[in-house]
PDB file of all heavy atoms in Angstrom:
ATOM      1  N   ALA A 262       9.800  -5.307   5.196  1.00 98.00           N
ATOM      2  CA  ALA A 262      10.747  -5.523   4.096  1.00 98.00           C
ATOM      3  C   ALA A 262      11.883  -4.511   4.106  1.00 98.00           C
ATOM      4  O   ALA A 262      12.951  -4.767   3.549  1.00 98.00           O
ATOM      5  CB  ALA A 262      10.008  -5.457   2.759  1.00 98.00           C
ATOM      6  N   ALA A 263      11.670  -3.363   4.744  1.00 97.00           N
ATOM      7  CA  ALA A 263      12.724  -2.345   4.822  1.00 97.00           C
ATOM      8  C   ALA A 263      13.702  -2.609   5.954  1.00 97.00           C
ATOM      9  O   ALA A 263      14.766  -1.976   6.008  1.00 97.00           O
ATOM     10  CB  ALA A 263      12.097  -0.962   4.979  1.00 97.00           C
ATOM     11  N   GLY A 264      13.375  -3.505   6.879  1.00 94.00           N
ATOM     12  CA  GLY A 264      14.300  -3.875   7.936  1.00 94.00           C
ATOM     13  C   GLY A 264      14.021  -3.188   9.258  1.00 94.00           C
ATOM     14  O   GLY A 264      13.335  -2.164   9.320  1.00 94.00           O
ATOM     15  N   PRO A 265      14.569  -3.735  10.354  1.00 92.00           N
ATOM     16  CA  PRO A 265      14.254  -3.238  11.700  1.00 92.00           C
ATOM     17  C   PRO A 265      14.752  -1.827  11.976  1.00 92.00           C
ATOM     18  O   PRO A 265      14.238  -1.155  12.870  1.00 92.00           O
ATOM     19  CB  PRO A 265      14.943  -4.255  12.626  1.00 92.00           C
ATOM     20  CG  PRO A 265      16.012  -4.875  11.783  1.00 92.00           C
ATOM     21  CD  PRO A 265      15.461  -4.911  10.391  1.00 92.00           C
ATOM     22  N   GLU A 266      15.741  -1.356  11.243  1.00 91.00           N
ATOM     23  CA  GLU A 266      16.265   0.000  11.450  1.00 91.00           C
ATOM     24  C   GLU A 266      15.719   0.984  10.417  1.00 91.00           C
ATOM     25  O   GLU A 266      16.270   2.084  10.245  1.00 91.00           O
ATOM     26  CB  GLU A 266      17.794  -0.017  11.387  1.00 91.00           C
ATOM     27  CG  GLU A 266      18.442  -0.902  12.428  1.00 91.00           C
ATOM     28  CD  GLU A 266      18.148  -0.441  13.849  1.00 91.00           C
ATOM     29  OE1 GLU A 266      18.098   0.782  14.068  1.00 91.00           O
ATOM     30  OE2 GLU A 266      17.955  -1.301  14.721  1.00 91.00           O
ATOM     31  N   ALA A 267      14.651   0.624   9.734  1.00 96.00           N
ATOM     32  CA  ALA A 267      14.133   1.470   8.657  1.00 96.00           C
ATOM     33  C   ALA A 267      13.656   2.823   9.186  1.00 96.00           C
ATOM     34  O   ALA A 267      13.090   2.925  10.273  1.00 96.00           O
ATOM     35  CB  ALA A 267      12.978   0.762   7.955  1.00 96.00           C
ATOM     36  N   LYS A 268      13.915   3.833   8.386  1.00 97.00           N
ATOM     37  CA  LYS A 268      13.422   5.174   8.677  1.00 97.00           C
ATOM     38  C   LYS A 268      12.155   5.412   7.855  1.00 97.00           C
ATOM     39  O   LYS A 268      12.133   5.184   6.645  1.00 97.00           O
ATOM     40  CB  LYS A 268      14.471   6.219   8.308  1.00 97.00           C
ATOM     41  CG  LYS A 268      13.997   7.656   8.488  1.00 97.00           C
ATOM     42  CD  LYS A 268      15.068   8.636   8.042  1.00 97.00           C
ATOM     43  CE  LYS A 268      14.561  10.077   8.139  1.00 97.00           C
ATOM     44  NZ  LYS A 268      15.586  11.041   7.669  1.00 97.00           N
ATOM     45  N   ALA A 269      11.107   5.893   8.510  1.00 98.00           N
ATOM     46  CA  ALA A 269       9.842   6.185   7.830  1.00 98.00           C
ATOM     47  C   ALA A 269       9.758   7.664   7.497  1.00 98.00           C
ATOM     48  O   ALA A 269      10.169   8.518   8.283  1.00 98.00           O
ATOM     49  CB  ALA A 269       8.667   5.776   8.704  1.00 98.00           C
ATOM     50  N   GLU A 270       9.216   7.953   6.327  1.00 98.00           N
ATOM     51  CA  GLU A 270       8.967   9.326   5.901  1.00 98.00           C
ATOM     52  C   GLU A 270       7.519   9.434   5.421  1.00 98.00           C
ATOM     53  O   GLU A 270       7.064   8.611   4.624  1.00 98.00           O
ATOM     54  CB  GLU A 270       9.899   9.722   4.758  1.00 98.00           C
ATOM     55  CG  GLU A 270      11.372   9.684   5.103  1.00 98.00           C
ATOM     56  CD  GLU A 270      12.218   9.847   3.858  1.00 98.00           C
ATOM     57  OE1 GLU A 270      12.406   8.837   3.157  1.00 98.00           O
ATOM     58  OE2 GLU A 270      12.661  10.981   3.594  1.00 98.00           O
ATOM     59  N   LEU A 271       6.818  10.420   5.906  1.00 98.00           N
ATOM     60  CA  LEU A 271       5.476  10.715   5.408  1.00 98.00           C
ATOM     61  C   LEU A 271       5.632  11.456   4.081  1.00 98.00           C
ATOM     62  O   LEU A 271       6.187  12.551   4.032  1.00 98.00           O
ATOM     63  CB  LEU A 271       4.722  11.590   6.405  1.00 98.00           C
ATOM     64  CG  LEU A 271       3.309  12.017   6.003  1.00 98.00           C
ATOM     65  CD1 LEU A 271       2.361  10.823   5.987  1.00 98.00           C
ATOM     66  CD2 LEU A 271       2.790  13.092   6.952  1.00 98.00           C
ATOM     67  N   ILE A 272       5.167  10.849   3.002  1.00 98.00           N
ATOM     68  CA  ILE A 272       5.349  11.465   1.688  1.00 98.00           C
ATOM     69  C   ILE A 272       4.053  12.037   1.116  1.00 98.00           C
ATOM     70  O   ILE A 272       4.091  12.747   0.110  1.00 98.00           O
ATOM     71  CB  ILE A 272       5.971  10.466   0.688  1.00 98.00           C
ATOM     72  CG1 ILE A 272       5.161   9.172   0.602  1.00 98.00           C
ATOM     73  CG2 ILE A 272       7.423  10.176   1.063  1.00 98.00           C
ATOM     74  CD1 ILE A 272       5.666   8.193  -0.449  1.00 98.00           C
ATOM     75  N   HIS A 273       2.940  11.737   1.757  1.00 98.00           N
ATOM     76  CA  HIS A 273       1.675  12.362   1.341  1.00 98.00           C
ATOM     77  C   HIS A 273       0.674  12.272   2.480  1.00 98.00           C
ATOM     78  O   HIS A 273       0.642  11.288   3.222  1.00 98.00           O
ATOM     79  CB  HIS A 273       1.089  11.686   0.107  1.00 98.00           C
ATOM     80  CG  HIS A 273      -0.222  12.289  -0.310  1.00 98.00           C
ATOM     81  ND1 HIS A 273      -0.312  13.496  -0.965  1.00 98.00           N
ATOM     82  CD2 HIS A 273      -1.504  11.878  -0.104  1.00 98.00           C
ATOM     83  CE1 HIS A 273      -1.585  13.796  -1.171  1.00 98.00           C
ATOM     84  NE2 HIS A 273      -2.322  12.828  -0.656  1.00 98.00           N
ATOM     85  N   ARG A 274      -0.170  13.325   2.572  1.00 96.00           N
ATOM     86  CA  ARG A 274      -1.229  13.299   3.574  1.00 96.00           C
ATOM     87  C   ARG A 274      -2.413  14.091   3.047  1.00 96.00           C
ATOM     88  O   ARG A 274      -2.279  15.268   2.712  1.00 96.00           O
ATOM     89  CB  ARG A 274      -0.733  13.924   4.874  1.00 96.00           C
ATOM     90  CG  ARG A 274      -1.607  13.614   6.090  1.00 96.00           C
ATOM     91  CD  ARG A 274      -1.063  14.299   7.320  1.00 96.00           C
ATOM     92  NE  ARG A 274      -1.563  13.725   8.542  1.00 96.00           N
ATOM     93  CZ  ARG A 274      -1.370  14.261   9.736  1.00 96.00           C
ATOM     94  NH1 ARG A 274      -0.687  15.391   9.859  1.00 96.00           N
ATOM     95  NH2 ARG A 274      -1.854  13.668  10.814  1.00 96.00           N
ATOM     96  N   SER A 275      -3.555  13.443   2.928  1.00 95.00           N
ATOM     97  CA  SER A 275      -4.800  14.110   2.545  1.00 95.00           C
ATOM     98  C   SER A 275      -5.957  13.221   2.970  1.00 95.00           C
ATOM     99  O   SER A 275      -5.765  12.080   3.406  1.00 95.00           O
ATOM    100  CB  SER A 275      -4.836  14.396   1.032  1.00 95.00           C
ATOM    101  OG  SER A 275      -4.850  13.187   0.283  1.00 95.00           O
ATOM    102  N   TRP A 276      -7.183  13.758   2.822  1.00 93.00           N
ATOM    103  CA  TRP A 276      -8.382  13.042   3.234  1.00 93.00           C
ATOM    104  C   TRP A 276      -9.433  13.125   2.136  1.00 93.00           C
ATOM    105  O   TRP A 276      -9.436  14.078   1.351  1.00 93.00           O
ATOM    106  CB  TRP A 276      -8.975  13.640   4.512  1.00 93.00           C
ATOM    107  CG  TRP A 276      -8.110  13.504   5.712  1.00 93.00           C
ATOM    108  CD1 TRP A 276      -7.083  14.332   6.089  1.00 93.00           C
ATOM    109  CD2 TRP A 276      -8.181  12.480   6.711  1.00 93.00           C
ATOM    110  NE1 TRP A 276      -6.513  13.885   7.252  1.00 93.00           N
ATOM    111  CE2 TRP A 276      -7.166  12.750   7.654  1.00 93.00           C
ATOM    112  CE3 TRP A 276      -9.019  11.361   6.883  1.00 93.00           C
ATOM    113  CZ2 TRP A 276      -6.968  11.939   8.774  1.00 93.00           C
ATOM    114  CZ3 TRP A 276      -8.801  10.558   7.994  1.00 93.00           C
ATOM    115  CH2 TRP A 276      -7.794  10.843   8.928  1.00 93.00           C
ATOM    116  N   SER A 277     -10.317  12.154   2.119  1.00 90.00           N
ATOM    117  CA  SER A 277     -11.526  12.255   1.304  1.00 90.00           C
ATOM    118  C   SER A 277     -12.677  11.622   2.060  1.00 90.00           C
ATOM    119  O   SER A 277     -12.474  10.814   2.977  1.00 90.00           O
ATOM    120  CB  SER A 277     -11.347  11.574  -0.067  1.00 90.00           C
ATOM    121  OG  SER A 277     -11.448  10.173   0.042  1.00 90.00           O
TER     122      SER A 277
END
Side-chain angles (χ1 to χ4, degrees):
E266 300 298 323
K268 176 183 176 182
E270 299 170 279
L271 178 68
I272 54 175
H273 178 76
R274 196 181 199 189
S275 65
W276 295 84
S277 78

